[in-house]
Amino acid sequence: MMRLALALVLVTAPLGATLSARSPGDISEIRNGLLAVAVGNEIQEKCASISPRLIRVYSLRNQLLAVARSEGFSDDEIDAYVDDETARARLEADADAYLRQNGVVEGNVDTYCALGRTEIAAGSAVGRLLRER
């Protein structure tokens, strides 16, 4: 379900300047928001006891869209950024690095659940997008 949420954010959110001199990914609020969604997505996909808070994900999408538009990005630029495979791969690599740095071991479900619970308890950007079932 978080994959759907991530797709919602990536497809409809403010992520789309062409990757020339400046892109929405260069804006820290957008980058951090997308990173939180990507990390949350990985956690909820691996840990059955954690699920996404889709309304909060949708709300984040609206915030990111507002930021991108306030920075002057057009809908065409947003679409171009969303479709950029290099930008998406970079975001996924950053999410994987975050997970590893925070104790997640690939293939060990318990480590994903532990990080998810920690993020939820801390009320972090990732934790606000998740809930324990």
Side-chain angles (χ1 to χ4, degrees):
M1 195 164 290
M2 189 65 138
R3 185 170 301 276
L4 171 64
L6 178 59
L8 246 176
V9 170
L10 289 175
V11 171
T12 61
L15 303 178
T18 56
L19 294 177
S20 57
R22 184 169 174 261
S23 76
D26 296 332
I27 299 168
S28 64
E29 185 175 351
I30 292 172
R31 183 82 181 147
N32 293 341
L34 291 177
L35 182 60
V37 171
V39 169
N41 182 48
E42 285 298 311
I43 291 170
Q44 72 84 31
E45 280 187 354
K46 303 290 193 300
C47 180
S49 66
I50 294 179
S51 60
R53 291 179 176 257
L54 292 178
I55 292 173
R56 289 188 182 177
V57 172
Y58 186 74
S59 177
L60 176 60
R61 169 220 168 266
N62 289 338
Q63 289 174 315
L64 298 178
L65 183 57
V67 169
R69 287 188 173 146
S70 73
E71 292 289 330
F73 292 104
S74 70
D75 288 342
D76 287 342
E77 290 171 320
I78 291 169
D79 291 341
Y81 184 76
V82 167
D83 293 338
D84 187 85
E85 291 182 25
T86 302
R88 188 173 301 218
R90 188 174 20 239
L91 178 65
E92 289 173 5
D94 289 348
D96 288 342
Y98 182 92
L99 292 165
R100 283 190 311 275
Q101 291 167 0
N102 287 280
V104 169
V105 176
E106 183 72 30
N108 185 336
V109 171
D110 292 337
T111 61
Y112 287 90
C113 294
L115 177 58
R117 285 190 295 274
T118 298
E119 296 283 347
I120 292 167
S124 70
V126 172
R128 288 188 302 273
L129 301 176
L130 301 172
R131 67 179 171 88
E132 199 161 12
R133 295 179 193 179

